[in-house]
Amino acid sequence: MTTQPQAAVAVTPPLPNRRNEELLLLGFAAVITTVALLLVEANQEQGLRWDLAQYTVAYLALFIGAHLAVRRFTPYADPLLLPVVALLNGLGLVMIHRLDVAEGENTSQGLGGTANQQMLWTLVGVVGFSLVVIFLRDHRVLSRYGYLCGLAGLVLLAIPALLPRSMSEQNGAKIWIQLPGFSIQPAEFSKILLLIFFAAVLVSKRSLFTSAGKHVLGMDLPRPRDLAPLLAAWIASIGVMIFEKDLGTSLLLYASFLVMVYIATERFSWVVLGLALFAAGSIAAFYLFDHVRVRVQTWRDPFADPDGAGYQMVQSLFSFATGGIFGTGLGNGQPGTIPAASTDFIIAAVGEELGLVGLAAVLMLYTIVIIRGLRTAIAVRDSFGKLLAAGLATTLAIQLFIVVGGVTKLIPLTGLTTPWMSYGGSSLVANYLLLAILVRISHSARRPIGAAPLPAGPIAAASTEVIGKV
């Protein structure tokens, strides 16, 4: 009796998710951060203390915890996003510590007051990142709450304007909610909520934005009755500029809205109309409001009042000139001469001590995050995810341009902070939440078609709605 040969059974190899590469890159980020910290300590003659090791261990343990959350709940997420942000955060911590030393902070029991606070906010931000990754099991659920997010975002924007100055104003801008022992900048969280709202509305009301009106100069202009969303965004941004004296948030939200409308409609006419409205509002604000006029005049000629309104910009320009191509070296410059160096002007401090080469490397890290976010927008298979990922990535790009443009005198100063690097709990936590949403979308974009989805979590179970595919 003869037996027939059995056909070979094909064994499908496990689908790669590149989590090991992510862990290796996190270790590399920890090494760079540790070396930078040691350079600051050595050049400032602070002495190499054993208690500094606990910060390195805490930093690495914190991001390994975030990595484990990503490995378990978003295994196909982009492996570059978390390590790059961890490195930016680490360099920011080192530079804030460097500024503490320059200002004479007591660092004998740790990194110093401001850097210790930033380390605590890093803990809160990474924990928030992990919670979003764990509980937000499907980014499309957010589209169901688009209008609620929009309302919450507008309320958060409006609260500082309604509070008395003693509870909301710092350095001339009414952008804070100040309570005893605690303060928060609600516009940082409003930014994320409004991006979710923009994406949900642009998906559900796409026909309103794509309806063609008159054809002028090669462009299909929208119908007059369809301009209400653009006018609403313009009025909101002008309101923030007038009542809260916050040029940065006003410009950031309005520019993000225009970019998302262009991505959704592919019509340049919306951008032209939006820029025309912005130009008109800016010119009117220049002649009507003193704080806008002072910002513009300081931008045009900071040396006209080098000891007054132009002092901050003058010191920033001197820092860049001192740094030159290769910088003075970590711990060897004088970044403490720049007012608010750890918040608005941390890029100037980086430019002085790391030079043009080091600053270009930092900007390249941001570029990696932005490009990977845009690649996620291209790859994800639902319309809401595409718009939301593109909005998150372009908002980071716009904010970085506003910050770097301001400190280099390319555009007027706005007061925005550098994501993940500048001192400030609201900015740091909000940007980690933004990163978590982007990581969740990248998991959906990179997950192979045949891969089994993870079990639905508490938030994903609340919705079975699926957005139509592009």
Side-chain angles (χ1 to χ4, degrees), residues 169-189:
E169 186 169 338
Q170 284 187 17
N171 300 323
K174 286 175 59 67
I175 58 176
W176 295 90
I177 300 175
Q178 295 178 342
L179 301 173
F182 180 77
S183 63
I184 185 173
Q185 192 173 344
E188 292 289 345
F189 301 94

Side-chain angles (χ1 to χ4, degrees), residues 127-324:
V127 169
F129 167 88
S130 302
L131 290 176
V132 172
V133 167
I134 292 170
F135 289 100
L136 180 63
R137 305 303 291 274
D138 190 342
H139 65 273
R140 293 172 293 185
V141 176
L142 296 174
S143 66
R144 295 193 63 185
Y145 306 99
Y147 288 94
L148 182 61
C149 289
L151 178 61
L154 290 176
V155 169
L156 286 177
L157 270 182
I159 287 177
L162 302 176
L163 293 175
R165 289 187 175 182
S166 60
M167 298 179 62
S168 62
E169 186 169 338
Q170 284 187 17
N171 300 323
K174 286 175 59 67
I175 58 176
W176 295 90
I177 300 175
Q178 295 178 342
L179 301 173
F182 180 77
S183 63
I184 185 173
Q185 192 173 344
E188 292 289 345
F189 301 94
S190 149
K191 169 181 67 177
I192 301 174
L193 294 171
L194 290 176
L195 287 175
I196 296 172
F197 169 69
F198 293 157
V201 168
L202 287 170
V203 169
S204 61
K205 305 292 184 182
R206 188 173 184 272
S207 59
L208 183 148
F209 292 90
T210 55
S211 299
K214 293 183 179 180
H215 189 77
V216 178
L217 298 176
M219 297 184 297
D220 291 323
L221 298 178
R223 297 173 299 183
R225 63 175 179 269
D226 296 334
L227 292 175
L230 178 62
L231 292 174
W234 180 72
I235 292 172
S237 65
I238 293 296
V240 171
M241 183 189 301
I242 295 173
F243 296 108
E244 299 184 4
K245 301 179 182 179
D246 188 3
L247 279 67
T249 300
S250 173
L251 177 58
L252 177 64
L253 293 178
Y254 188 67
S256 299
F257 174 75
L258 284 184
V259 170
M260 292 183 71
V261 170
Y262 176 71
I263 292 173
T265 63
E266 298 182 5
R267 289 190 172 177
F268 194 66
S269 56
W270 283 102
V271 178
V272 173
L273 289 174
L275 292 177
L277 286 173
F278 178 78
S282 299
I283 293 172
F286 175 81
Y287 288 104
L288 294 176
F289 304 107
D290 291 338
H291 65 278
V292 177
R293 188 160 51 251
V294 168
R295 289 287 182 92
V296 174
Q297 290 172 348
T298 302
W299 164 61
R300 292 179 60 187
D301 186 10
F303 291 93
D305 187 13
D307 296 322
Y311 181 75
Q312 198 174 31
M313 176 55 67
V314 168
Q315 293 303 119
S316 174
L317 296 177
F318 282 152
S319 293
F320 285 116
T322 302

Side-chain angles (χ1 to χ4, degrees), residues 356-429:
L356 177 62
V357 173
L359 181 58
V362 170
L363 296 181
M364 187 61 67
L365 291 175
Y366 281 106
T367 304
I368 291 172
V369 176
I370 294 165
I371 290 177
R372 303 300 284 199
L374 293 175
R375 287 189 60 181
T376 294
I378 293 173
V380 74
R381 292 178 282 273
D382 65 275
S383 301
F384 175 74
K386 286 180 178 293
L387 276 178
L388 183 56
L392 296 172
T394 54
T395 296
L396 285 175
I398 294 168
Q399 184 167 348
L400 187 64
F401 170 77
I402 292 173
V403 170
V404 177
V407 300
T408 57
K409 200 179 166 293
L410 180 64
I411 61 175
L413 284 172
T414 59
L416 286 180
T417 56
T418 309
W420 298 297
M421 288 191 71
S422 293
Y423 171 72
S426 300
S427 173
L428 191 61
V429 173

